[in-house]
């Protein structure tokens, strides 16, 4: 009886050992803390290379007057440089359709260019489209996708809080530059740790 118990105990120990060994296999998924550290380096390198001037804000608003020569780092993490604030026509919640043409690239700590896009120069790409929902509130997205979701002729897969946010602050015809941390980017950029540098985004309200 004691020998039988010993065999059972040995088998149980072997199962536990195998389970532990299996759980120790290396994972390709990086922890969030590491992704954020790498992102910080990548964004700092971009800012230094392009010689951008950055002013940090304690809120998610733009100052008056707006300095068109600087990037404002808003409290939600978005970097925005206003090239043209647009007209006095503002987006109306649940009514205004926003069309965006933009050019730029994804980047990370190991690669300056992961993916490039340019719907400004390439007329075969449709505008990125979304319905403006409401002024941004923490934890609440202020847009609703209404695009074609066809990756072959649009950039709708890049729709995210970072791209949509300027519509809450600027008027029809606004043009901006953006640095979008992966936390404000599309789901794919979040899991891969890719940030987005938008050289220019043009906003049209309908």
């Amino acid at each position: 009886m004691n020998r039988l118990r010993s065999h059972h105990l040995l088998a149980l120990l072997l199962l536990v050992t195998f389970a532990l060994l299996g759980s120790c296999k290396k994972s390709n998924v990086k922890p969030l803390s590491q992704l954020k550290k790498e992102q910080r380096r990548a964004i700092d390198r971009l800012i230094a290379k392009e010689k951008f001037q950055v002013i940090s804000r304690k809120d998610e608003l733009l100052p008056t007057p707006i300095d068109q020569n600087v990037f404002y780092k808003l409290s939600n993490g978005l970097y925005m440089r206003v090239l043209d604030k647009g007209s006095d026509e503002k987006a109306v919640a649940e009514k205004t359709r926003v069309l965006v043409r933009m050019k730029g690239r994804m980047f990370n700590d190991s690669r300056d260019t992961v993916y490039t896009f340019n719907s400004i120069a390439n007329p075969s790409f449709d505008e990125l489209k979304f319905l403006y929902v409401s002024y941004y509130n923490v934890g609440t997205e202020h847009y609703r996708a209404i695009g074609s979701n066809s990756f072959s002729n649009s950039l709708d897969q890049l729709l995210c809080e970072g791209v949509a946010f300027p519509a809450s602050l600027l008027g029809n015809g606004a043009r901006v530059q953006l640095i979008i941390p992966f936390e404000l980017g599309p789901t794919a950029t979040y899991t891969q740790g890719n940030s987005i540098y938008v050289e220019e985004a043009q906003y049209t309200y309908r």
Side-chain angles (χ1 to χ4, degrees), residues 109-121:
D109 190 35
S110 59
R111 296 174 63 187
D112 286 339
T113 302
V114 175
Y115 168 73
T116 61
F117 52 88
N118 190 343
S119 61
I120 294 176

Side-chain angles (χ1 to χ4, degrees), residues 47-143:
I47 290 171
K49 180 180 178 181
E50 300 293 336
K51 298 180 180 179
F52 292 146
Q53 181 182 352
V54 177
I55 295 177
S56 294
R57 300 279 300 170
K58 293 182 179 179
D59 53 29
E60 294 161 359
L61 301 174
L62 294 169
T64 302
I66 296 172
D67 188 340
Q68 295 181 337
N69 297 308
V70 305
F71 271 89
Y72 292 103
K73 183 183 180 184
L74 307 179
S75 60
N76 62 1
L78 182 67
Y79 295 75
M80 179 164 56
R81 177 184 177 191
V82 180
L83 304 174
D84 186 334
K85 65 179 183 179
S87 69
D88 292 333
E89 179 188 353
K90 304 299 183 183
V92 179
E94 301 292 348
K95 291 184 178 180
T96 301
R97 293 187 172 211
V98 183
L99 311 181
V100 186
R101 287 197 177 275
M102 60 183 186
K103 64 177 179 179
R105 58 185 166 88
M106 289 186 186
F107 66 98
N108 57 38
D109 190 35
S110 59
R111 296 174 63 187
D112 286 339
T113 302
V114 175
Y115 168 73
T116 61
F117 52 88
N118 190 343
S119 61
I120 294 176
N122 190 343
S124 66
F125 280 88
D126 295 333
E127 299 98 335
L128 180 154
K129 310 174 187 70
F130 65 91
L131 178 69
Y132 179 74
V133 176
S134 66
Y135 182 79
Y136 179 83
N137 290 309
V138 176
T140 304
E141 294 174 338
H142 66 278
Y143 66 90

Side-chain angles (χ1 to χ4, degrees), residues 122 124-126 148-157:
N122 190 343
S124 66
F125 280 88
D126 295 333
S148 64
N149 292 320
S150 172
F151 291 3
S152 62
N153 66 351
S154 77
L155 296 179
D156 286 339
Q157 73 271 25

